[in-house]
Amino acid sequence: MKPLKLLICGPVGAGKTTFVSTLSEIPVVETDELASEAIGKEYTTVALDFGRLTLDEQVLHLFGTPGQDRYHFMWDVLAEGALGLVMLVAGDRPADFGNARRILEYVTSRHPIPFVLGVTRQDLEAVWRPAEIALFFGVPAHQVVGLDATSPTAAVRVLAQLLTFIRDSEELVP
Ligand SMILES: Nc1nc2c(ncn2[C@@H]2O[C@H](COP(=O)(O)OP(=O)(O)OP(=O)(O)O)[C@@H](O)[C@H]2O)c(=O)[nH]1
Ligand SMILES: [Mg+2]
C-alpha cells in the first residue's frame, strides 16, 4: 500500500503541531520559531510539521501547516497530493471560529478532499463541543470529532474517522 498523505490545517494555536507530535512514530520534523508578533504563544510553525504513523497497515504521512496567514502559500504547497484533511479548531477560542471556517473553505475549494473537523481542548471545561461546532460550521455532525490533541487515543480516533471517510468517498467514485 502506498503511503497516504494527510493534511492538518487550522488557525494559530489549534493544536496542529501537537496533533502531529502526538501521533508520529518518528521524530517530527518541526519548523517552529519564535513568533515575531503577539499571537498568544511564544512559538509558531513557519513552514510545516511532518510526522509518520502506521494505522491498520496503512502508512500515513502527516503534514501540519502553519496557522498564520502570512505563511498561507504553504497551505497549497503542502496540500499537493493530499488525500484527506484534518481541520483543527480550538474549542475554547470562539474568536478563531470565523478564521477557521475561512481556512476550511479556502483549502477545500482548491483541494476538494474528504475532511474531518477536530475540536481540540476537550480536556478543558469551558469549551465548545463538537455538536455546537458542527452547527456553526454547517458541517454534518458525524464529520466533527472532539479531542485532546495531546492524547494518542483521541488523536488516532480522529484519523480513523478520516480514513473511513476517505474509503467511503473512494467507493463513490465510479
Ligand atoms: N489542554 C490542551 N492543550 C492543547 C491541546 N492542543 C494543543 N494544546 C496546546 O496548545 C498550544 C498550541 O498548540 P500548537 O500545537 O503549537 O498549535 P498550532 O496549531 O501548531 O499553532 P501554529 O503552528 O502557531 O499555527 C500548545 O501549548 C499545546 O500544548 C488540547 O487538545 N488540549
Ligand atoms: Mg504549529
Side-chain angles (χ1 to χ4, degrees), residues 1-135:
M1 264 191 287
K2 269 195 350 187
L4 188 70
K5 179 176 177 180
L6 301 178
L7 187 68
I8 322 297
C9 289
V12 168
K16 303 176 294 296
T17 301
T18 307
F19 183 75
V20 174
S21 308
T22 298
L23 287 165
S24 186
E25 59 201 13
I26 58 165
V28 173
V29 178
E30 280 184 28
T31 61
D32 277 26
E33 300 286 346
L34 262 181
S36 57
E37 54 190 275
I39 58 165
K41 65 190 183 98
E42 214 177 346
Y43 286 88
T44 189
T45 304
V46 298
L48 81 162
D49 314 302
F50 173 74
R52 190 193 71 201
L53 91 153
T54 313
L55 202 62
D56 298 338
E57 297 179 20
Q58 171 71 63
V59 175
L60 303 173
H61 286 175
L62 306 176
F63 285 82
T65 54
Q68 287 192 73
D69 270 357
R70 64 199 301 199
Y71 303 117
H72 88 271
F73 57 91
M74 283 304 295
W75 302 348
D76 285 313
V77 172
L78 297 174
E80 193 63 42
L83 292 180
L85 164 69
V86 177
M87 177 71 200
L88 294 179
V89 59
D92 63 343
R93 297 190 176 185
D96 288 349
F97 292 173
N99 188 26
R101 197 157 57 177
R102 198 177 52 76
I103 296 172
L104 180 64
E105 277 164 15
Y106 177 91
V107 176
T108 54
S109 64
R110 298 161 77 95
H111 310 276
I113 50 179
F115 72 89
V116 288
L117 186 50
V119 189
T120 60
R121 298 176 172 262
Q122 294 298 306
D123 52 308
L124 307 179
E125 267 173 32
V127 282
W128 285 53
R129 300 299 175 191
E132 298 165 323
I133 297 286
L135 283 177

